[in-house]
Amino acid sequence: MNILVVHVGDIGTCPPVRNIVAILAELGHHVTVLTRNRYNIQFNNSDRIKIIPLPLNKYHGIFRVFNYLTRLPVLRRIFDKEMQNNDILWTTSDETIRELRGRVLKQKHIMQLMELAEDIPRIVTPPLEICHKSIPSYGFIGINLKKYAQRAYKVVVPEYNRAHILKTWWELKNTPEILPNKPVEDNIDEVNIPDEALEIINELKKETRKIIFYQGVFSWDRNFEKYAEAFKALSNQYCFCLLGRDNDYRSKLCNKFPEIKYLGFLPPPYHLLITPYAHIGLLPYAPGKGGHLSVLNALYCAPNKIYEYAKYGIPMIGNDVPGLALPFDKYGIGSIYHGGGVEEMRIIIEEIEANYKKMSDNCRKFYADTDLYKIVENIIS
């Protein structure tokens, strides 16, 4: 089968999109991908995968709207041409729906949503700075995502609660399919490892303390501060390390807590070369309203990190949100931190150390229980 995957973001910074492309190709399908590909991501089964790069963003801040308006005709022109040779359209986000609009209604459309949002504004607008605070200017007329979901062949989300929330919001006949954000078993080219990865590995090999590790984005819905405060008192035994694309939030955090070690950024899948060096994985989520996303988005988080840590048998610490508390409790793979400061964190870490072998084994069982290939096969069948 020929499948067109459209992701208006950068595939190099979105592991779940990379996963779906790899899985579809492994299942024997021919996949064409429209995406920005800043990091020139490579795939196994590349003879079945064709990547067509979309224009990269040229403008920032208040000029973001120009990115949107200039890339639309390019995307739609390429889409119209490529869709003629494909059987299924697979979109990856609400942003992608916004840029394709009515074109998706004419196709056999699989509508995948990485985040939880009831609707999305019709046009990208820059954030406003008011009293030194960033205020997203989404005062918005939406595109009516409900309409696209109701007419999609399948709706796909990464988490159980999100599936039922969207079914209720949008009055869907069928519950959306659940495709967890688990990394695929991808063969990393260990001969041509990027120099940046080797430098990080060598640095971690020299570290004598046990590593508490976070890999991912640095944003408002990651509640790092309360963790950093607690880890600060334990820094003689544990080293708190961060891996991810840099931004102002990360800089401010490390300036406030200089004992944090920032390792830099590696494009997927090379970030997984660093993960095995972690002793404990961190999953900090702080539910709140951000842009057009639902306040429930982080509450029912569906992080690929939970699988990336589990793959290597790394127990986790996270916030008390259902998206983490439920799998932690069901599988025994992590502990919840309630923000009680150093003493609570000390107790949590002592409990993890006392049960480390068991929790590590539980992580690997949790990872093995999810068969992505079977789920994807069912979605497109």
Side-chain angles (χ1 to χ4, degrees), residues 95-204:
E95 289 91 347
T96 303
I97 300 294
R98 173 174 59 194
E99 299 202 6
L100 292 175
R101 299 284 178 88
R103 282 168 165 77
V104 308
L105 300 176
K106 303 172 184 177
Q107 314 300 332
K108 185 175 182 181
H109 173 216
I110 295 173
M111 180 176 170
Q112 185 176 11
L113 297 163
M114 301 294 174
E115 309 291 349
L116 184 62
E118 193 166 0
D119 206 349
I120 186 171
R122 285 181 172 270
I123 190 166
V124 174
T125 53
L128 300 174
E129 291 292 331
I130 299 177
C131 299
H132 306 292
K133 291 185 178 181
S134 181
I135 310 295
S137 58
Y138 292 103
F140 75 85
I141 300 173
I143 67 166
N144 191 8
L145 280 174
K146 175 180 178 179
K147 172 180 69 176
Y148 297 95
Q150 287 181 337
R151 293 177 62 177
Y153 173 64
K154 296 279 181 70
V155 177
V156 179
V157 297
E159 196 268 341
Y160 175 83
N161 293 285
R162 290 189 188 186
H164 288 275
I165 290 168
L166 289 180
K167 183 181 181 182
T168 303
W169 277 353
W170 293 341
E171 302 174 279
L172 303 178
K173 292 181 180 178
N174 300 311
T175 306
E177 303 281 349
I178 300 165
L179 179 62
N181 288 332
K182 175 185 176 181
V184 296
E185 295 288 349
D186 204 2
N187 295 321
I188 298 174
D189 182 0
E190 298 194 9
V191 176
N192 299 303
I193 296 175
D195 291 340
E196 300 92 327
L198 292 174
E199 290 174 10
I200 295 170
I201 290 170
N202 288 333
E203 184 176 352
L204 293 178

Side-chain angles (χ1 to χ4, degrees), residues 13-17 19 92 112-117 156-166 177-183 214-217 221-222 282-287 293-309 316 318-319 321-328 333 366 370 372:
T13 59
C14 192
V17 177
N19 288 347
T92 59
Q112 185 176 11
L113 297 163
M114 301 294 174
E115 309 291 349
L116 184 62
V156 179
V157 297
E159 196 268 341
Y160 175 83
N161 293 285
R162 290 189 188 186
H164 288 275
I165 290 168
L166 289 180
E177 303 281 349
I178 300 165
L179 179 62
N181 288 332
K182 175 185 176 181
Y214 171 84
Q215 57 190 33
V217 300
D221 64 344
R222 307 292 192 267
L282 190 64
L283 293 142
Y285 285 84
L293 299 181
S294 169
V295 69
L296 301 175
N297 187 54
L299 192 65
Y300 296 108
C301 59
N304 45 289
K305 289 178 286 298
I306 199 170
Y307 284 96
E308 290 173 350
Y309 298 148
M316 299 158 233
N319 285 43
V321 296
L324 298 177
L326 295 178
F328 281 11
I333 58 176
F366 165 75
T370 300
L372 293 183

Side-chain angles (χ1 to χ4, degrees), residues 26-272:
E26 183 68 23
L27 290 172
H29 302 289
H30 292 273
V31 188
T32 300
V33 189
L34 307 187
T35 183
R36 294 199 288 277
N37 188 17
R38 183 181 288 111
Y39 298 98
N40 193 27
I41 298 300
Q42 302 298 314
F43 289 91
N44 297 331
N45 300 299
S46 57
D47 57 319
R48 298 196 197 109
I49 299 171
K50 178 174 73 171
I51 296 181
I52 300 177
L54 298 173
L56 297 174
N57 289 338
K58 297 180 180 179
Y59 308 101
H60 302 282
I62 196 169
F63 298 105
R64 282 174 59 192
V65 69
F66 289 108
N67 292 321
Y68 177 68
L69 294 176
T70 56
R71 71 177 179 238
L72 277 181
V74 177
L75 168 63
R76 292 172 178 177
R77 183 173 65 251
I78 297 172
F79 174 84
D80 290 342
K81 178 183 176 183
E82 294 300 324
M83 199 64 233
Q84 295 176 28
N85 303 312
N86 283 277
D87 307 301
I88 291 178
L89 166 64
W90 189 304
T91 61
T92 59
S93 65
D94 49 3
E95 289 91 347
T96 303
I97 300 294
R98 173 174 59 194
E99 299 202 6
L100 292 175
R101 299 284 178 88
R103 282 168 165 77
V104 308
L105 300 176
K106 303 172 184 177
Q107 314 300 332
K108 185 175 182 181
H109 173 216
I110 295 173
M111 180 176 170
Q112 185 176 11
L113 297 163
M114 301 294 174
E115 309 291 349
L116 184 62
E118 193 166 0
D119 206 349
I120 186 171
R122 285 181 172 270
I123 190 166
V124 174
T125 53
L128 300 174
E129 291 292 331
I130 299 177
C131 299
H132 306 292
K133 291 185 178 181
S134 181
I135 310 295
S137 58
Y138 292 103
F140 75 85
I141 300 173
I143 67 166
N144 191 8
L145 280 174
K146 175 180 178 179
K147 172 180 69 176
Y148 297 95
Q150 287 181 337
R151 293 177 62 177
Y153 173 64
K154 296 279 181 70
V155 177
V156 179
V157 297
E159 196 268 341
Y160 175 83
N161 293 285
R162 290 189 188 186
H164 288 275
I165 290 168
L166 289 180
K167 183 181 181 182
T168 303
W169 277 353
W170 293 341
E171 302 174 279
L172 303 178
K173 292 181 180 178
N174 300 311
T175 306
E177 303 281 349
I178 300 165
L179 179 62
N181 288 332
K182 175 185 176 181
V184 296
E185 295 288 349
D186 204 2
N187 295 321
I188 298 174
D189 182 0
E190 298 194 9
V191 176
N192 299 303
I193 296 175
D195 291 340
E196 300 92 327
L198 292 174
E199 290 174 10
I200 295 170
I201 290 170
N202 288 333
E203 184 176 352
L204 293 178
K205 284 181 177 178
K206 296 174 185 175
E207 179 58 62
T208 57
R209 297 168 294 174
K210 293 177 179 178
I211 293 168
I212 296 175
F213 185 56
Y214 171 84
Q215 57 190 33
V217 300
F218 308 121
S219 64
W220 62 270
D221 64 344
R222 307 292 192 267
N223 196 3
F224 290 105
E225 284 79 2
K226 68 178 183 180
Y227 286 95
E229 286 281 5
F231 294 145
K232 185 176 182 179
L234 305 173
S235 59
N236 61 326
Q237 295 175 277
Y238 296 91
C239 179
F240 182 21
C241 296
L242 305 176
L243 181 76
R245 183 192 287 276
D246 203 7
N247 58 19
D248 288 342
Y249 182 88
R250 196 287 308 169
S251 297
K252 291 175 182 176
L253 179 72
C254 290
N255 286 336
K256 185 176 180 180
F257 300 97
E259 63 278 358
I260 295 175
K261 184 177 287 189
Y262 174 56
L263 301 174
F265 170 75
L266 290 173
Y270 292 107
H271 68 298
L272 295 177

Side-chain angles (χ1 to χ4, degrees), residues 342-356:
V342 177
E343 191 53 38
E344 183 192 357
M345 185 60 74
R346 195 188 305 276
I347 292 170
I348 286 173
I349 290 178
E350 286 176 356
E351 288 177 350
I352 289 175
E353 297 290 12
N355 298 283
Y356 196 89

